[in-house]
Amino acid sequence: MRGKRISILLVCCVFITCLSFVCSQAAPAPDFSQIQTVFDKHCTECHDAQDPEAMLVLESFEGLLKGGESGPAIVPGKSAESLLLKMIEGKIEKDGKKKIMPPGKREKLSAEEIASIKSWIDSGAAAPMVVNARELVLPKIAPKVPPRNSIFALAYAPGPKLVGYARSGEVEIRSAEDRRLVRTLKGHQGAVNALVFSVDGKQLFAAGGEAGLVGEVRQWEVGTGKLLHVFEGHRDALYAVALSPDGKTLATGGYDQKIKLWNVKSGEQIRMLSGHNGAVFGLSFRADGKILASASADRTVKLWEVATGERRDTLSQSLKELYSVAFSPDGKRLAAAGVDNRIRVWEISEKAEETTNPLLHARFAHEGAILRIAYSSDGKLLLSSAADRTVKIWETTEMKERLVLPVQPDWPPALSFAGDSRVVVGCLDGTSDFYDTMTGKVVPPPKPELTHSEPRGVQRGMPTTLKLFGSNLVNLTELKFNNAKLAGKLLLTTNDTAKVIWASITPGPDLPRGAYEISVNGAGGESGKIKIYVDDIPQITEIETNSAPAHIPSLPASCWGVINPMGDVDDYEFSAKAGETLVFDVNAKILGSKANAVLTLFDASGKVLASNNDFDGNDPFIAYKFTEAGTFKVRVSDLQIGASPDNFYRLSIGSFPYVVGSYPISVGTNKESEVELLGYNLPPDHKIKVKPGKAGEIDLPVDPE
């Protein structure tokens, strides 16, 4: 008996111990974030910060503690004495009737929701936990490949012809014509998920935020990149933004299930629209600005009267979450699409009231969830993209499929019409392309073009930085040469006008003197070729100041300049020795220049020593023997006072050999003859032997190269 009794006692002890353990592990009191979710669902529609019923704000912990016009809303630790709980449970009577919140036919709180509020109050009504993300320490792991710079949204401004690209933490503004990067708008929190330009294209509104923390819209001045205002008030990331046609009202929607209307001029919140039970992913104003449409993860499209905030209709035909909504430009039709792969189109009445907005089309459009839709400016076409990586163009009259664009490399959540005949699509892998709306083919960037370089001449064996001028000089991939002894590469552009790009070039030390062709390659193809002149003496580029002569530190040298603007003259200062014969040789016409050059030589006092404007029917030339050492000046001007960027020249100065003729002027064929070279600074033995094989003109080998 003793053994049996002991066993029973042991079992009882174990049971009591287990019971104590279970009691000690009771569920903790809910955090305020859970309570706020309940308030957002049932209460904040009436108790928001803008126009709170009974002066009680339930959008924040601080507002709840402050209470309303009837006094404190809660008594921490005492839920039974808290006015808020009494109102929720219907324990307050007024005029012989029980008052219960939310009032009227609105959905009341469930028993579980009431229990969570009661538990939170009884546990002391603790403030929400604050997580400071900046204190989070994570290991630094370098990526093995460049990280993707996803495109989440696109917007087009017809006036300035600009496209906005929404990425993580920033927005790129690019030219729709040549694809150049105009500027980058940085400083956004989290990913930028939605964009909208003002009607005139002068302002851009970019919506995004940090999931679970904050939603924001940044208002930018496009022309300067200046941040004008930050709209804050959402407690979760934003996924939708819309601007009224008059530019006065901004609508925002996000994961917190709220839609807020803002006064653009003052930055103040006008009102909050509550009614969706899921994230708001799409917003669109009607053309008259009176009706706002919203698309939500709760599978509904809602129509709102902007002036009052009244919900006019709920379109609930969709079977799954909705990601995008768009009014046609005339405001008569509304399209929406999402996870059930269908595009639905409704005809919207003037007042958008219930039962007056019939469904016109429910077209099965893609094999994957539809991510975005957009109307063309004339309303004749509708663009759609989906998670199956397809993009389609539809004719809106009968919602007939017109084109299927090439399969995208990743999900294409970003798309927009970009003019009358093009669309632009952006993907999560960071790539984007323009497509023709008639053919569906990719529209490449315009072909790059080169006009000239600065300097136009380089010294062989010397690395030189070239400034290349032209048009469409963006997204270039290669600098090309027609000679293997020329090497170089493209450098970063100095500005974003697409008219200038920098390159480095190094002619081989044994590259013969002469003209060589270079070109550039880009997404739009290969440019035409321009000539670079390679010489064996230093190359100097004239600086357009005309305040003082350009100083040539040593001779020989070649000076490159341009006669521009009208009346321009270029002076060069140099030193010469007594008894030295210097050659001054201008190349202009021979290089394809429009300049009709004049060459004038001066002494230190300004006296003209020599002048020439035409040597043997070509460009000017002077050979002058200096009787005294000193500093002298040579001037290049235009005989006809012409001026333009095409009036360029090369002036070579030095005591180098220069051939101007030969004697005799003719020799016999099929026999060797001796010809004497005539000119300046020639070596003692300046005779050469030639043996022409047939009658006619021949070139004399005056240069060993």
Side-chain angles (χ1 to χ4, degrees):
M1 294 294 293
R2 181 175 295 179
K4 189 174 182 180
R5 183 179 297 169
I6 292 174
S7 298
I8 294 173
L9 289 173
L10 285 174
V11 172
C12 291
C13 289
V14 170
F15 175 76
I16 294 171
T17 302
C18 292
L19 183 61
S20 300
F21 176 78
V22 172
C23 292
S24 67
Q25 297 297 313
D31 179 69
F32 179 74
S33 61
Q34 297 170 261
I35 307 305
Q36 186 66 66
T37 301
V38 178
F39 290 161
D40 288 344
K41 180 179 179 181
H42 297 283
C43 310
T44 52
E45 183 175 357
C46 296
H47 295 280
D48 64 329
Q50 295 300 309
D51 186 21
E53 185 75 22
M55 301 306 293
L56 176 61
V57 177
L58 296 180
E59 280 190 331
S60 65
F61 177 75
E62 293 74 17
L64 175 59
L65 287 189
K66 184 177 179 181
E69 62 184 18
S70 299
I74 62 171
V75 179
K78 300 179 180 180
S79 62
E81 299 178 18
S82 297
L83 180 60
L84 175 70
L85 203 61
K86 292 179 180 179
M87 295 294 289
I88 290 173
E89 293 182 325
K91 294 181 178 179
I92 300 294
E93 289 191 8
K94 186 175 182 181
D95 300 329
K97 296 182 180 180
K98 289 185 177 181
K99 292 193 64 177
I100 185 170
M101 295 296 166
K105 297 181 180 180
R106 295 176 182 173
E107 181 184 359
K108 304 300 185 288
L109 276 68
S110 67
E112 291 79 10
E113 291 170 332
I114 295 174
S116 65
I117 295 175
K118 185 181 297 185
S119 175
W120 174 71
I121 296 174
D122 287 336
S123 65
M129 292 186 296
V130 178
V131 178
N132 189 346
R134 290 174 294 181
E135 296 178 356
L136 183 62
V137 178
L138 295 174
K140 294 183 179 180
I141 302 175
K144 294 182 178 180
V145 296
R148 299 195 310 177
N149 194 8
S150 299
I151 302 173
F152 300 107
L154 291 166
Y156 176 66
K161 296 182 179 179
L162 297 174
V163 179
Y165 294 72
R167 299 185 187 268
S168 181
E170 64 184 32
V171 177
E172 292 176 356
I173 306 295
R174 292 184 176 272
S175 165
E177 295 184 312
D178 54 32
R179 323 291 168 85
R180 63 184 169 88
L181 178 64
V182 176
R183 62 178 38 85
T184 302
L185 309 175
K186 295 180 177 292
H188 292 268
Q189 295 191 65
V192 180
N193 298 311
L195 297 174
V196 62
F197 279 102
S198 58
V199 174
D200 58 11
K202 293 182 178 180
Q203 295 183 10
L204 175 71
F205 298 82
E210 295 282 0
L213 295 177
V214 65
E216 66 169 23
V217 174
R218 292 186 174 245
Q219 178 186 2
W220 299 92
E221 187 174 68
V222 175
T224 64
K226 178 183 178 181
L227 179 63
L228 301 177
H229 188 73
V230 180
F231 297 86
E232 295 179 303
H234 289 266
R235 289 191 298 274
D236 212 323
L238 298 182
Y239 289 90
V241 65
L243 185 66
S244 62
D246 61 9
K248 295 180 179 179
T249 304
L250 185 74
T252 58
Y255 210 75
D256 61 0
Q257 306 178 11
K258 298 293 184 290
I259 301 168
K260 295 194 175 188
L261 302 182
W262 309 82
N263 183 305
V264 172
K265 186 176 182 179
S266 67
E268 296 179 352
Q269 181 179 320
I270 300 172
R271 61 179 50 86
M272 182 171 67
L273 310 179
S274 298
H276 281 298
N277 294 320
V280 178
F281 288 122
L283 292 169
S284 180
F285 278 99
R286 197 166 68 181
D288 59 8
K290 295 179 180 180
I291 300 295
L292 175 72
S294 59
S296 170
D298 66 5
R299 308 178 183 181
T300 68
V301 172
K302 295 186 184 295
L303 302 176
W304 310 85
E305 184 179 54
V306 176
T308 64
E310 177 187 350
R311 186 166 67 248
R312 287 298 185 88
D313 197 4
T314 296
L315 309 175
S316 55
Q317 291 93 335
S318 299
L319 305 176
K320 294 182 180 180
E321 295 91 333
L322 288 167
Y323 287 156
S324 189
V325 64
F327 267 111
S328 60
D330 61 9
K332 296 180 180 180
R333 294 190 176 191
L334 180 71
V339 181
D340 69 1
N341 309 350
R342 289 167 172 78
I343 299 175
R344 291 179 174 82
V345 180
W346 294 266
E347 184 178 35
I348 306 301
S349 67
E350 173 66 23
K351 295 185 178 180
E353 295 174 332
E354 291 184 4
T355 72
T356 66
N357 308 300
L359 179 66
L360 300 179
H361 304 285
R363 184 76 67 226
F364 185 89
H366 295 267
E367 296 294 337
I370 298 173
L371 306 174
R372 194 85 66 178
I373 57 173
Y375 274 102
S376 61
S377 60
D378 59 8
K380 295 180 179 179
L381 300 176
L382 183 72
L383 186 63
S384 64
S385 64
D388 61 0
R389 299 188 297 148
T390 61
V391 179
K392 296 184 179 182
I393 299 176
W394 305 81
E395 295 177 357
T396 56
T397 303
E398 299 295 332
M399 277 306 295
K400 178 182 177 182
E401 182 182 301
R402 171 191 275 196
L403 282 174
V404 179
L405 302 186
V407 175
Q408 301 299 305
D410 205 335
W411 279 22
L415 76 172
S416 174
F417 281 88
D420 296 331
S421 60
R422 295 185 302 169
V423 298
V424 56
V425 180
C427 299
L428 290 182
D429 67 351
T431 61
S432 68
D433 268 313
F434 285 72
Y435 298 89
D436 186 277
T437 57
M438 294 301 295
T439 66
K441 295 182 178 180
V442 173
V443 180
K447 181 181 177 181
E449 295 296 341
L450 291 178
T451 56
H452 65 282
S453 70
E454 188 180 287
R456 297 175 189 260
V458 296
Q459 185 179 1
R460 63 185 179 187
M462 299 294 294
T464 304
T465 299
L466 294 182
K467 189 177 184 181
L468 302 176
F469 294 85
S471 59
N472 305 320
L473 302 180
V474 293
N475 301 323
L476 301 181
T477 57
E478 183 184 12
L479 180 64
K480 299 186 67 176
F481 306 97
N482 71 335
N483 191 293
K485 293 183 178 181
L486 275 170
K489 63 180 180 179
L490 294 169
L491 305 175
L492 294 178
T493 55
T494 57
N495 54 46
D496 52 19
T497 65
K499 297 179 180 180
V500 175
I501 193 171
W502 291 82
S504 66
I505 182 173
T506 303
D510 58 344
L511 183 66
R513 292 186 293 121
Y516 296 89
E517 293 180 337
I518 67 171
S519 60
V520 292
N521 246 343
E526 183 180 354
S527 71
K529 296 175 174 60
I530 61 171
K531 291 182 178 179
I532 296 294
Y533 297 88
V534 177
D535 209 332
D536 58 350
I537 61 177
Q539 306 291 294
I540 298 173
T541 301
E542 171 244 356
I543 301 175
E544 292 288 348
T545 62
N546 289 328
S547 59
H551 178 69
I552 302 175
S554 63
L555 298 177
S558 285
C559 305
W560 290 87
V562 179
I563 305 298
N564 194 38
M566 187 75 72
D568 182 30
V569 295
D570 294 340
D571 291 340
Y572 298 92
E573 187 179 73
F574 62 94
S575 297
K577 301 174 183 178
E580 183 179 31
T581 298
L582 292 182
V583 170
F584 302 85
D585 181 31
V586 170
N587 284 176
K589 295 177 183 177
I590 197 172
L591 301 182
S593 170
K594 294 181 179 179
N596 191 353
V598 177
L599 192 59
T600 309
L601 180 64
F602 301 88
D603 66 12
S605 67
K607 177 184 175 181
V608 175
L609 301 178
S611 181
N612 185 266
N613 70 292
D614 188 347
F615 180 77
D616 195 25
N618 292 303
D619 296 309
F621 167 83
I622 293 175
Y624 189 85
K625 185 175 182 178
F626 293 85
T627 59
E628 297 180 358
T631 300
F632 301 86
K633 181 175 69 175
V634 64
R635 172 175 294 172
V636 181
S637 58
D638 193 282
L639 181 66
Q640 298 175 335
I641 319 179
S644 77
D646 293 326
N647 285 45
F648 63 91
Y649 63 87
R650 177 180 65 185
L651 168 63
S652 297
I653 308 173
S655 58
F656 40 74
Y658 194 93
V659 176
V660 297
S662 63
Y663 182 83
I665 60 174
S666 65
V667 296
T669 61
N670 298 314
K671 66 177 181 178
E672 188 174 77
S673 303
E674 188 176 73
V675 177
E676 182 180 2
L677 301 178
L678 307 177
Y680 304 93
N681 300 322
L682 299 181
D685 183 12
H686 49 272
K687 295 180 180 180
I688 60 173
K689 296 182 184 295
V690 296
K691 186 179 180 180
K694 60 180 180 178
E697 293 185 353
I698 63 170
D699 292 328
L700 297 179
V702 300
D703 195 323
E705 293 182 347

